[in-house]
Amino acid sequence: MEKIIVTGGCGFIGSNFIRHLLYESAFSGSIINIDKMTYAANADNLKDAASDFPDRYSFVCADICDNAAMENLIQTSSADSICHFAAESHVDRSIADPEAFIRTNIMGTYRLLEIARKHPDRISLFHHVSTDEVFGSLGAVGAFAETTPYDPSSPYSASKAASDHLVSAYHRTYGIPVTISNCSNNYGPYQFPEKLIPLVILNAKEGRPIPVYGDGKNIRDWLHVADHCRAIWTVMNKGIRGRTYNIGGNAEMRNIDVVTMICDAVDRMAGPLDGNRPRRNLIRFVTDRPGHDRRYAMDCSRIGRELGWKPKESFETGLEKTVRWYLENEEWVERVKSGEYLSWMKQQYGD
Ligand code: NAD
Ligand code: TYD
């Protein structure tokens, strides 16, 4: 891989992945970042990359559903691989309005697969980034394996499940060289603050109510984004074509425990709120999300055994770094908050 198209590279994980390749890995080739710049995109995430790596990093504003734009890109770029992150990614938004999820996550993936199918001489790998949410909800014990049947609960997870099936089918039917990764909940720098961890950090910092859905006992496995990026790059380089790999952080946590850890960390790092009130007092139990999956857990033995990857970050150290990052990067936070974040918060919780 010398020239990689990264779709959705201005989003949370895509921008961390591009930063990983340019600043931290041994990769010496170039990257073309294709992003439609939805509300979730943030050019600030990569503002240094263009100047630090003018010959190795470029950006094209385009929609992956736009066939002509994608065809033109392949014809003119000499790209040899695709790492596909672009998606609508927030479950609550998919419940409120599923259409964009169907369009981008299913049709967009289909478009890119068609491009790969038409140019077998050029595209030597299509890596598809997906989620553990395709497997549905677990009971109190057990973990998702790559062989667990799909059972998605939300429009988001159903659209990702459909895209995973398309990628597998294109491999079986047309022989497209693909790899797929299904990962658990990511956290870390540059995440749009509609997702649990950055939302709670910012609300805690500013003394706003912290919404916890239902009884707060839903369990997620948390994967630091740096570990995830390393895992994707490992799969792209060493993964067997046509194979799926689970990626998890080995960090199962109840939401309420995540939220209280964040409150305590912000108290420690930013000092107490007025009147010396602990930030745990900001927690509010609110109406549950419809179709809210109870528990996710990942069996990551395949990627460990076959490719030698395991997570490096513990949840405690990763969360500490993440809270610090949001508290220290005030300019990034202020710019994000001034845009779509504000209207989403108002729509969800009023003024
Ligand atoms: P994100 O919402 O932060 O970023 C998505 C990016 O895709 C944005 O920059 C957006 O502008 C771009 N995009 C959306 N529609 C597009 C289109 N039609 N054409 C081109 N670009 C488009 O998402 P993320 O959290 O970085 O997630 C990246 C991928 O990882 C997604 O496929 C998601 O399903 C998957 N994933 C995320 C998590 C997580 O915890 N965030 C967990 C598992 C899997
Ligand atoms: P989220 O970050 O939206 O990721 P996902 O739905 O993809 O897992 O939510 C993580 C968990 O936190 C999930 O169980 C829903 C819960 N949650 C809250 O309790 N309050 C919130 O404000 C949000 C956004 C999520």
Side-chain angles (χ1 to χ4, degrees):
M1 286 173 285
E2 283 301 312
K3 200 162 199 178
I4 306 174
I5 291 175
V6 173
T7 71
C10 290
F12 164 48
I13 307 175
S15 59
N16 274 283
F17 181 71
I18 291 173
R19 300 189 71 83
H20 174 71
L21 288 198
L22 292 176
Y23 292 97
E24 281 152 36
S25 78
F27 175 67
S28 59
S30 57
I31 295 168
I32 310 166
N33 173 10
I34 309 301
D35 201 299
K36 182 185 163 186
M37 302 306 286
T38 69
Y39 78 93
N42 190 339
D44 289 353
N45 298 3
L46 291 162
K47 69 176 175 203
D48 45 349
S51 49
D52 290 348
F53 299 95
D55 304 328
R56 296 181 55 208
Y57 171 74
S58 58
F59 170 70
V60 178
C61 185
D63 185 337
I64 57 164
C65 301
D66 181 342
N67 189 35
M70 293 304 107
E71 184 62 40
N72 183 48
L73 182 73
I74 291 295
Q75 297 286 356
T76 56
S77 70
S78 70
D80 56 25
S81 44
I82 298 174
C83 184
H84 178 34
F85 293 92
E88 291 291 340
S89 68
H90 189 39
V91 172
D92 292 330
R93 285 181 191 257
S94 84
I95 294 168
D97 189 2
E99 186 154 337
F101 290 73
I102 308 305
R103 184 178 177 278
T104 287
N105 300 2
I106 305 178
M107 285 304 291
T109 302
Y110 157 73
R111 279 281 163 240
L112 292 172
L113 287 166
E114 277 293 287
I115 293 291
R117 179 166 85 90
K118 285 186 193 138
H119 299 283
D121 46 328
R122 292 182 188 213
I123 300 302
S124 63
L125 177 65
F126 183 101
H127 180 75
H128 180 60
V129 178
S130 192
T131 168
D132 58 357
E133 301 194 25
V134 297
F135 299 119
S137 189
L138 287 166
V141 292
F144 301 130
E146 287 84 354
T147 48
T148 301
Y150 278 26
D151 186 20
S153 302
S154 70
Y156 163 68
S157 51
S159 69
K160 292 297 290 188
S163 68
D164 293 11
H165 288 320
L166 280 171
V167 175
S168 297
Y170 268 61
H171 173 71
R172 284 196 213 162
T173 306
Y174 305 114
I176 312 279
V178 307
T179 45
I180 299 176
S181 51
N182 292 82
C183 69
S184 56
N185 285 59
N186 282 222
Y187 69 103
Y190 304 110
Q191 186 168 31
F192 189 79
E194 64 186 352
K195 306 274 168 50
L196 181 71
I197 287 184
L199 180 137
V200 172
I201 296 171
L202 297 191
N203 283 16
K205 180 187 170 202
E206 289 159 22
R208 284 197 305 267
I210 295 171
V212 173
Y213 299 164
D215 63 4
K217 293 182 184 157
N218 300 65
I219 292 175
R220 298 290 180 267
D221 172 66
W222 292 96
L223 170 66
H224 193 275
V225 68
D227 277 329
H228 185 203
C229 292
R230 215 169 29 84
I232 292 172
W233 190 227
T234 302
V235 170
M236 289 177 74
N237 281 287
K238 301 204 276 184
I240 295 169
R241 285 8 187 183
R243 205 155 170 78
T244 292
Y245 296 89
N246 278 358
I247 307 171
N250 205 11
E252 273 187 65
M253 299 284 300
R254 297 188 317 170
N255 290 340
I256 188 64
D257 298 329
V258 172
V259 168
T260 49
M261 278 174 77
I262 295 171
C263 289
D264 295 350
V266 178
D267 280 342
R268 246 186 300 111
M269 291 182 208
L273 288 167
D274 291 346
N276 223 5
R277 285 177 301 135
R279 284 178 169 81
R280 287 181 182 210
N281 291 357
L282 299 169
I283 295 171
R284 303 282 179 275
F285 290 94
V286 300
T287 310
D288 208 357
R289 171 189 279 173
H292 195 178
D293 289 332
R294 193 64 174 167
R295 176 170 166 263
Y296 300 149
M298 291 295 253
D299 172 353
C300 301
S301 49
R302 176 181 282 176
I303 190 171
R305 193 177 56 245
E306 295 183 6
L307 309 184
W309 175 91
K310 61 174 194 274
K312 287 184 181 165
E313 199 73 64
S314 73
F315 187 66
E316 289 71 21
T317 58
L319 189 70
E320 186 88 2
K321 286 181 194 167
T322 304
V323 172
R324 198 174 294 288
W325 189 89
Y326 280 89
L327 296 182
E328 286 177 353
N329 285 273
E330 283 186 345
E331 195 185 326
W332 186 91
V333 167
E334 285 313 313
R335 281 169 64 93
V336 166
K337 274 172 45 191
S338 63
E340 169 84 7
Y341 168 77
L342 204 59
S343 52
W344 171 250
M345 292 295 281
K346 281 188 179 151
Q347 198 183 317
Q348 295 291 96
Y349 309 112
D351 292 323

